[in-house]
Amino acid sequence: MAFRRRNKSYPFFSQEFLIQNHADIVFSLVIFILIGLMFEATAKSAILFIQPQYNVTTLTPDGEVTLYHYGWKDCATILFYFFITLILHALVQEYLLDKVNRRLHLSKSKNTKFNESGQLCVFYLVSSVWSFYIVISEGYILHLNRVWENYPHSHLRFQVKFFYLTQLAYWIHALPELYFQKVRKEDISRQLQYIGLYLLHILAAYVLNLTPLGLLLLGLQYLTEMVFHIARLVYFTDENNQKLFDVWAVSFVATRMWTLTLMFLVFGFGLARSDNQMLDWEAGNFNSVLIRMTFLLLVCMTQSWLLWKFIRFQLRRWREFRHEQAVRKKAASKQAVRPMKRASLGQNENGVLKAENGTSPRIKKLKSH
């Protein structure tokens, strides 16, 4: 199974060989794990990588329900879907983005940003639809109080736990992709910032049993970021089309307001009035004043940092727009200022004065008196 066209072969275990064939190597590992399901001796070990662990069956009025909690075995599941994400990344790059790049003929820097936005657009679209589907099916939209009621949410449905495991796998996979995609050194620090922030917030929501709040915030954040990267893709195809950036600006500010409102509502109103305000590691209860204030401060600092970056981005766009307007005014003024033609004197061609119809005027002879 070849993911990329190979124009040149490289020595085994060299850096270029690893970069060019990493998807095929990972695909072989995935096949190896799947083959383990076929044998009774290795089936238990293979299922550890594929299926979420720590399931508990409980009785409800609707019947038996299987719920899940987290543990160290989740690392094996995250590793398996880390491999899957690497393969999907290569498929999107090879069969979608590379074909578009060949038609656009972008520069190297724009090509890197185009690939980044293309990959993130696919991920944000799938994740935002998935998160909002879970939020609606769990009833968090119509009953917002379920976000903080019955805390801790230590027992999760399959779709909720699987969502968080795949989210962690995706953002972990983004780290080696910086090497595989040969990202420029100037862009590595910027990408490491948002990768680290996503990993920190998702892991905190998962470990602190704040999964309903995390689903809402991730859905809003992913939807806003998807609009930004779609706007950037459109800009690369047509630099005069920047209307979607204005849509992103409005959605970005609205997302920051919704995020801060939800945070203060959950931590300042919901969990602050809960009866079980204690730290209990076994029960997964982290509803203490110190943890609430720490998590609230972390999110507020992140939102402030994002707003600061947003303001700087808008100011840079405004300066570029003013510069373009000044250049256009200068060009228009140069075209408007042209030498005036003196029609009454006719035209002067090769030193001979001509009339407007192109004929030379006759010289009148003076009569002698």
Side-chain angles (χ1 to χ4, degrees):
M1 181 177 181
F3 288 97
R4 294 183 180 275
R5 295 177 177 86
R6 292 163 176 76
N7 299 323
K8 185 178 179 181
S9 59
Y10 297 97
F12 285 100
F13 305 111
S14 63
Q15 289 187 359
E16 292 297 330
F17 177 83
L18 181 62
I19 291 173
Q20 192 179 54
N21 300 278
H22 72 276
D24 293 330
I25 296 171
V26 170
F27 183 77
S28 303
L29 293 174
V30 171
I31 294 297
F32 179 76
I33 294 173
L34 293 176
I35 290 175
L37 294 173
M38 301 171 61
F39 303 98
E40 186 177 356
T42 58
K44 291 184 179 180
S45 300
I47 203 69
L48 184 67
F49 290 90
I50 300 171
Q51 182 179 340
Q53 303 299 306
Y54 303 104
N55 56 320
V56 178
T57 303
T58 58
L59 292 175
T60 62
D62 298 330
E64 292 186 354
V65 177
T66 302
L67 301 176
Y68 296 82
H69 59 91
Y70 64 82
W72 289 107
K73 293 181 181 180
D74 291 340
C75 297
T77 310
I78 293 173
L79 179 63
F80 178 79
Y81 289 100
F82 163 81
F83 293 152
I84 297 294
T85 311
L86 285 172
I87 297 171
L88 294 176
H89 187 112
L91 289 173
V92 172
Q93 186 67 41
E94 173 66 20
Y95 295 104
L96 180 61
L97 298 179
D98 286 349
K99 291 183 178 180
V100 178
N101 283 331
R102 295 189 194 101
R103 297 183 179 181
L104 295 178
H105 304 289
L106 299 173
S107 62
K108 188 175 181 181
S109 60
K110 287 185 177 180
N111 188 24
T112 303
K113 293 180 180 179
F114 184 88
N115 290 334
E116 178 192 359
S117 294
Q119 293 284 351
L120 289 174
C121 271
V122 175
F123 170 72
Y124 288 146
L125 175 62
V126 174
S127 297
S128 59
V129 172
W130 191 4
S131 63
F132 282 121
Y133 170 77
I134 297 175
V135 166
I136 294 172
S137 62
E138 295 291 330
Y140 297 139
I141 296 294
L142 299 178
H143 305 281
L144 191 60
N145 55 341
R146 292 184 181 179
V147 175
W148 61 82
E149 286 184 352
N150 300 321
Y151 180 83
H153 303 281
S154 55
H155 290 83
L156 311 174
R157 295 183 182 273
F158 174 82
Q159 59 181 355
V160 178
K161 177 165 183 173
F162 190 62
F163 175 82
Y164 273 91
L165 294 180
T166 52
Q167 293 297 307
L168 291 171
Y170 179 86
W171 290 113
I172 293 173
H173 117 279
L175 295 173
E177 283 294 344
L178 298 176
Y179 172 73
F180 295 141
Q181 297 296 323
K182 296 182 179 180
V183 178
R184 298 186 307 169
K185 292 182 179 179
E186 304 86 47
D187 297 331
I188 288 178
S189 60
R190 175 183 60 83
Q191 295 192 29
L192 282 176
Q193 286 177 356
Y194 70 76
I195 291 172
L197 285 173
Y198 274 119
L199 280 174
L200 178 62
H201 286 77
I202 294 172
L203 189 62
Y206 184 61
V207 172
L208 298 179
N209 295 318
L210 294 168
T211 49
L213 178 62
L215 284 169
L216 286 170
L217 297 182
L218 280 176
L220 292 171
Q221 177 66 20
Y222 285 164
L223 193 61
T224 303
E225 290 297 308
M226 183 182 66
V227 175
F228 170 75
H229 287 285
I230 291 176
R232 196 158 73 160
L233 291 176
V234 173
Y235 173 76
F236 288 141
T237 56
D238 183 10
E239 293 186 355
N240 295 322
N241 193 345
Q242 301 186 18
K243 295 181 180 179
L244 281 177
F245 282 110
D246 298 329
V247 178
W248 166 73
V250 175
S251 63
F252 182 90
V253 176
T255 301
R256 304 285 77 76
M257 294 176 61
W258 274 104
T259 300
L260 293 174
T261 302
L262 280 173
M263 290 300 299
F264 282 104
L265 182 64
V266 173
F267 288 99
F269 175 78
L271 296 179
R273 296 188 177 186
S274 178
D275 296 332
N276 54 348
Q277 296 191 29
M278 63 175 65
L279 183 62
D280 190 352
W281 292 89
E282 295 182 359
N285 185 6
F286 301 95
N287 188 16
S288 65
V289 177
L290 179 61
I291 294 177
R292 286 203 311 269
M293 292 299 103
T294 302
F295 197 75
L296 183 61
L297 181 62
L298 173 65
V299 175
C300 290
M301 289 177 62
T302 304
Q303 300 305 308
S304 301
W305 180 71
L306 291 174
L307 280 173
W308 170 244
K309 287 188 63 179
F310 172 78
I311 293 171
R312 289 180 59 187
F313 176 79
Q314 294 299 326
L315 288 175
R316 186 172 68 250
R317 280 191 64 205
W318 180 75
R319 286 195 296 264
E320 291 175 355
F321 176 77
R322 292 297 299 270
H323 178 70
E324 291 178 359
Q325 290 294 325
V327 171
R328 290 177 182 176
K329 286 182 180 179
K330 287 182 180 179
S333 62
K334 288 181 180 179
Q335 292 178 359
V337 178
R338 293 179 177 177
M340 301 295 294
K341 295 183 179 179
R342 301 179 64 181
S344 60
L345 296 178
Q347 298 177 359
N348 191 349
E349 185 177 323
N350 295 328
V352 178
L353 185 66
K354 291 187 176 182
E356 292 182 359
N357 57 3
T359 61
S360 301
R362 295 180 179 178
I363 302 174
K364 294 181 180 181
K365 295 182 179 180
L366 298 174
K367 295 181 180 181
S368 58
H369 295 283

